[in-house]
Amino acid sequence: MTLRGRILLLAFFAACAATGYGVYWWHESVLDDLVVEEAPYSGPLLEAVTAFLQATPPDRAGAEKRLLGLPEWDRDRIVAALAAHPGKEYRMLAVAAARKLRDRPIPRAVLARLVLEEPDAKIKEAAKKALNGDTL
């Protein structure tokens, strides 16, 4: 093999190694993004919505108005977080908001999960009606 052939072969192996290294780190960054996406939602926007429910008496209409005024991505994630909350009032807010957003995938999935897994019959029935498009 000539010197030129050896150099080309080494350059080929170096390019393959660099490409493999780049693909590995690209894959790691995509996995990091997926983990962040699947993490439970928290933060000041969720606290701004739940502040209405912590008042005495709870202001579900104010919380719903604040929630529906948020950007789509945050709104959908907050609806999912509210549906997973142990408080009954929080889950009712999630159903009320998801009813208006049921054409979007995340709120629709939240309603379906509540229909299947919710222990409270009132919330389960409200989620079922919202999923079917009935009024509450």
Side-chain angles (χ1 to χ4, degrees), residues 71-87:
E72 286 181 2
W73 173 249
D74 293 318
R75 182 179 58 210
D76 291 351
R77 304 254 335 251
I78 289 173
V79 167
L82 290 171
H85 195 278

Side-chain angles (χ1 to χ4, degrees), residues 74-134:
D74 293 318
R75 182 179 58 210
D76 291 351
R77 304 254 335 251
I78 289 173
V79 167
L82 290 171
H85 195 278
K88 192 175 185 180
E89 195 66 36
Y90 293 83
R91 294 192 312 272
M92 280 303 287
L93 173 62
V95 170
R99 179 179 54 88
K100 295 179 180 173
L101 306 169
R102 70 177 175 270
D103 293 334
R104 297 193 39 80
I106 293 174
R108 191 162 187 82
V110 164
L111 287 172
R113 190 179 75 236
L114 286 172
V115 167
L116 294 175
E117 300 173 359
E118 177 61 40
D120 189 303
K122 183 178 176 184
I123 297 173
K124 188 175 198 164
E125 186 62 31
K128 189 175 187 178
K129 285 182 178 182
L131 193 58
N132 291 333
D134 300 337

Side-chain angles (χ1 to χ4, degrees), residues 9-90:
L9 187 61
L10 285 174
F12 173 73
F13 284 131
C16 287
T19 301
Y21 188 74
V23 167
Y24 171 78
W25 283 110
W26 168 78
H27 185 260
E28 286 295 313
S29 70
V30 168
L31 287 177
D32 288 345
D33 291 344
L34 288 173
V35 167
V36 167
E37 204 172 286
E38 292 298 319
Y41 191 87
S42 63
L45 293 177
L46 178 61
E47 292 169 6
V49 171
T50 58
F52 288 95
L53 298 177
Q54 294 168 353
T56 306
D59 181 14
R60 192 178 340 151
E64 186 177 345
K65 182 178 178 185
R66 174 74 171 116
L67 178 60
L68 294 175
L70 295 174
E72 286 181 2
W73 173 249
D74 293 318
R75 182 179 58 210
D76 291 351
R77 304 254 335 251
I78 289 173
V79 167
L82 290 171
H85 195 278
K88 192 175 185 180
E89 195 66 36
Y90 293 83

